[in-house]
Amino acid sequence: MDRVVATCDEAVADIPNGASIMIGGFGPPGIPVNLVKALRRRKLRDLVLIYCGGGTEEDGIGGLIADGAVRKLITSFPTHPGATAVREKYLAGELELEVLPQGTFVERIRAGGAGLGGFYTPTGVGTELAEGKEVRIIDGRPYVFELPLRADYAFIKAYRADRWGNLVYRRTMRNFNPIMATAANIVIAEVDEVVPVGALSPEEIETPCIFVDRVVEVPRDWIRRPAPAPR
Amino acid sequence: MPLTREGIAYRIAQDLPDESFVNLGTGIPSLVARFLPPGKTILIHSENGILGAGPKARPDEIDPDLVNANGDYVTLIPGASLFDHALSFAIIRGGHLTHAVLGALQVSRRGDLASWRIPGPRVPGVGGAMDIAVGAQRVWVATMHTTDQGEPKIVEECTYPLTAARCVRRIYTDLAVLSVEGEQLILEEVAPGVTVEDVVARTGAPLTIPPAVRTMEIPTEFAGTALLAP
């Protein structure tokens, strides 16, 4: 059982037009940038992306949107600095947006991965994001019903993997990655380093290999860090 | 004299108790972290999976895998923990945060909060604000008392889309501290040199005025940062 594939291009080669794809990451940490860039080279159409932000040119997600490859973005906060492609495409009527509260966004994905039919949340009650959704009173408090969310593919960024696809994360690289890894038919992980089976401590593995279909090693240079962003 | 943005943040930091677990929104709320009183254990939570976020990283401290929800490269304090987004929002929605400090476009007299969207041809984006507003044990708002055009931000009814209804407990502004108690909006404190009449004139909802309104105790500056507007 060896989940390692040689290149990002190979890892995304079978994705068809119209596919739904979850992409992990929040801020720069945890975005599988090289998988996204390989996807962009495929020049696909009508993709549905499930990603918390709006994407930038640097992370490639904004580039995919700018290319017109994306029909719909399911997101929470697509209004951060650099999310220019979302703004242009949405205001031009060329991109459908589904905006969710961030906790609802991740819990829908968690429910999708955990085999649940949905959940009731107090978040969003009485707001326009709950319009048209079922509201139920539980112990005197109103809750909104939310459906599970799954995808055809998930792009995951992790720190280390073994050849079976067990994944370890570092720092705030986790964010949506361990959750999305449970909720897609084909899960592809971009990692800094692939190590032999048995080299990872069972206690540090956050995503067990049962969830992971493909692993690509894309080493990062840990000595020469990127120049700090202006603050 | 009204408070500066930093002055509002400083005033809020004085009210956070020992052993509190706090989420700070963007804008003025994010400045609160600069003024946490020494001697208290206050853990800063960040939506992207940090409990115990420390100060912003110096250039030589930057870890490319460690940011807070504002996108700033940060440090971790000893005792910090890291986790995924599902656990992070279980902390938020599950009522485990003792305090949240959020920005506002408008707050109603009953504590309705509007903070996420200005109507019009704009991209909507909500982030974690709705979850935090319904989930934190105490939601405090940090905002200028009026808009740049002088319009009240504390109003009878919010006209902007709601983030959550009846969630705000306290409002800290450049002019005053107010608390929401049921149907009453109580004027607790005024900034130095600001009168009760000044606050009433700039508030778009009726205020309950106690017999003696305190004047904020706040220094003119803190470590070179002005807390009171000139």
Side-chain angles (χ1 to χ4, degrees), chain A residues 17-228:
Chain A
N17 288 324
S20 58
I21 306 172
M22 291 180 178
I23 302 174
F26 185 101
I31 301 177
V33 172
N34 294 289
L35 288 174
V36 173
K37 289 180 175 169
L39 179 68
R40 196 176 172 191
R41 288 192 286 271
R42 293 282 320 281
K43 302 194 183 305
L44 296 172
R45 311 291 299 179
D46 294 324
L47 298 175
V48 176
L49 297 189
I50 300 159
Y51 172 66
C52 181
T56 65
E57 182 62 32
E58 292 74 36
D59 63 37
I61 300 164
L64 268 173
I65 293 168
D67 293 347
V70 181
R71 175 177 67 79
K72 179 178 180 180
L73 176 66
I74 303 175
T75 184
S76 177
F77 194 67
T79 46
H80 53 80
T84 50
V86 167
R87 187 165 66 240
E88 286 164 14
K89 290 290 183 183
Y90 175 73
L91 295 180
E94 295 169 7
L95 175 70
E96 184 184 345
L97 278 183
E98 181 176 349
V99 173
L100 298 167
Q102 206 169 109
T104 300
F105 176 85
V106 70
E107 196 65 13
R108 285 185 62 186
I109 297 166
R110 203 192 72 80
L116 302 176
F119 58 94
Y120 289 91
T121 176
T123 305
V125 169
T127 75
E128 61 183 58
L129 295 189
E131 282 171 10
K133 295 176 178 173
E134 176 197 345
V135 174
R136 178 169 169 180
I137 309 293
I138 301 171
D139 284 340
R141 189 180 188 193
Y143 291 75
V144 178
F145 181 68
E146 294 283 354
L147 290 164
L149 191 54
R150 289 187 58 90
D152 300 324
Y153 292 83
F155 286 5
I156 302 302
K157 169 69 189 173
Y159 175 40
R160 283 181 165 146
D162 65 22
R163 301 193 76 88
W164 284 0
N166 288 304
L167 302 182
V168 169
Y169 303 90
R170 71 180 295 279
R171 302 303 192 187
T172 54
M173 177 193 285
R174 286 171 177 77
N175 56 65
F176 300 96
N177 283 303
I179 316 303
M180 289 179 169
T182 69
N185 297 336
I186 301 287
V187 174
I188 309 171
E190 172 185 336
V191 301
D192 293 312
E193 186 182 11
V194 175
V195 299
V197 172
L200 299 175
S201 160
E203 284 161 312
E204 70 179 323
I205 293 170
E206 202 156 321
T207 296
C209 64
I210 194 168
F211 295 112
V212 179
D213 298 281
R214 299 169 196 164
V215 172
V216 191
E217 185 182 60
V218 184
R220 283 190 294 172
D221 187 338
W222 285 94
I223 307 302
R224 273 163 294 173
R225 291 173 170 167

Side-chain angles (χ1 to χ4, degrees), chain B residues 27-222:
Chain B
I28 297 171
S30 72
L31 302 175
V32 172
R34 287 166 53 178
F35 302 110
L36 297 178
K40 290 182 185 174
T41 302
I42 296 172
L43 269 72
I44 302 298
H45 169 271
S46 188
E47 291 96 302
N48 59 324
I50 307 174
L51 188 62
K56 285 186 188 179
R58 298 189 310 265
D60 61 315
E61 292 178 321
I62 285 174
D63 182 323
D65 289 332
L66 184 57
V67 301
N68 65 13
N70 282 330
D72 298 318
Y73 290 108
V74 290
T75 55
L76 300 175
I77 66 168
S81 51
L82 297 163
F83 34 85
D84 64 51
H85 246 88
L87 183 62
S88 188
F89 278 79
I91 287 172
I92 292 170
R93 229 179 13 240
H96 305 285
L97 293 175
T98 59
H99 299 77
V101 184
L102 299 175
L105 295 167
Q106 292 176 325
V107 187
S108 84
R109 61 184 289 195
R110 296 173 192 83
D112 301 333
L113 174 65
S115 67
W116 71 282
R117 194 166 84 79
I118 297 170
R122 295 161 184 265
V123 177
V126 65
M130 287 188 181
D131 301 278
I132 294 168
V134 302
Q137 293 169 25
R138 296 167 195 83
V139 174
W140 295 351
V141 159
T143 180
M144 302 306 277
H145 208 90
T146 60
T147 66
D148 292 344
Q149 290 74 40
E151 297 291 323
K153 298 181 77 167
I154 301 163
V155 294
E156 182 72 35
E157 295 283 352
C158 295
T159 53
Y160 289 145
L162 284 193
T163 304
R166 299 204 173 207
C167 59
V168 177
R169 294 262 200 109
R170 273 192 213 163
I171 308 166
Y172 293 82
T173 78
D174 52 329
L175 302 181
V177 178
L178 306 118
S179 62
V180 180
E181 301 275 351
E183 297 289 315
Q184 291 193 78
L185 189 57
I186 302 168
L187 180 58
E188 303 279 1
E189 296 181 15
V190 291
V194 171
T195 66
V196 170
E197 292 70 28
D198 291 334
V199 177
V200 169
R202 289 168 173 77
T203 305
L207 294 178
T208 299
I209 316 286
V213 176
R214 295 187 299 273
T215 297
M216 283 181 214
E217 290 180 21
I218 189 161
T220 309
E221 56 121 30
F222 178 88

